[in-house]
Amino acid sequence: MLSLMDGFSSYNQIKIVEEDQHKMKFTTPWGTFCYQVMPFGLKNADATYQHAMTTIFCDLLHIIMKDYVDEILGKSKTHDSHIDVLTIIFERLEKYKVCLNRKKYIFGVKLDKLLGYIVSRRGIAVDLAKVKAIMEISLPTTLK
């Protein structure tokens, strides 16, 4: 069984340490402000968030779960063990105060599409619909 979960505002959950906040200053007509969390567009935001998720789940990765940036995949062989897997994942998320997007939960599926791939109990495979779409792309008809 698989459960798919999506992080909410991913890198905006990473707090900037107080001594580095002055490096992220910006000025407006109403005053000078500093970011307290990583803002959108920061060069290493995605890599920093991925590193944080890998650190949080280091002992669980490739055993009962996988993660890629803000996507979390919990996996198990049976329904009963799947509830235990989800309990472990959610306890860890709660401990580190990581928020998920409730609208993008998918629990207890046997096959699903994730990031353009087919994820099943046999592993990860290429989505043939994507391959077909690429094969059917027409060549450009104009030169510039």
Side-chain angles (χ1 to χ4, degrees), residues 6-132:
D6 185 61
F8 183 74
S9 297
S10 57
Y11 47 82
N12 293 121
Q13 297 182 50
I14 306 291
K15 294 184 187 231
I16 299 172
V17 292
E18 197 167 327
E19 57 265 17
D20 288 339
Q21 288 179 6
H22 74 279
K23 297 174 185 175
M24 304 290 294
K25 279 195 274 194
F26 61 97
T27 304
T28 69
W30 303 277
T32 301
F33 301 93
C34 297
Y35 283 102
Q36 295 179 337
V37 296
M38 286 183 26
F40 175 77
L42 194 60
K43 185 173 184 178
N44 291 329
D46 288 338
T48 302
Y49 186 77
Q50 177 66 54
H51 179 71
M53 294 300 283
T54 302
T55 303
I56 290 169
F57 294 112
C58 65
D59 58 327
L60 305 176
L61 287 174
H62 309 296
I63 300 168
I64 62 168
M65 66 167 296
K66 294 187 183 287
D67 79 291
Y68 178 73
V69 187
D70 64 345
E71 304 285 338
I72 297 172
L73 172 73
K75 57 183 184 173
S76 66
K77 294 188 186 275
T78 67
H79 182 274
D80 292 336
S81 64
H82 196 66
I83 293 185
D84 296 335
V85 165
L86 291 175
T87 302
I88 292 167
I89 291 171
F90 281 118
E91 284 174 353
R92 191 71 57 93
L93 290 168
E94 184 177 19
K95 178 180 177 182
Y96 291 99
K97 297 181 174 69
V98 176
C99 299
L100 297 177
N101 188 349
R102 292 182 188 165
K103 295 178 182 177
K104 294 189 178 180
Y105 286 173
I106 302 172
F107 293 117
V109 296
K110 296 188 183 196
L111 176 75
D112 202 3
K113 291 183 183 182
L114 176 68
L115 299 172
Y117 294 94
I118 302 293
V119 180
S120 69
R121 63 185 169 96
R122 288 183 280 156
I124 300 172
V126 175
D127 183 1
L128 295 178
K130 301 269 184 199
V131 173
K132 183 179 177 189

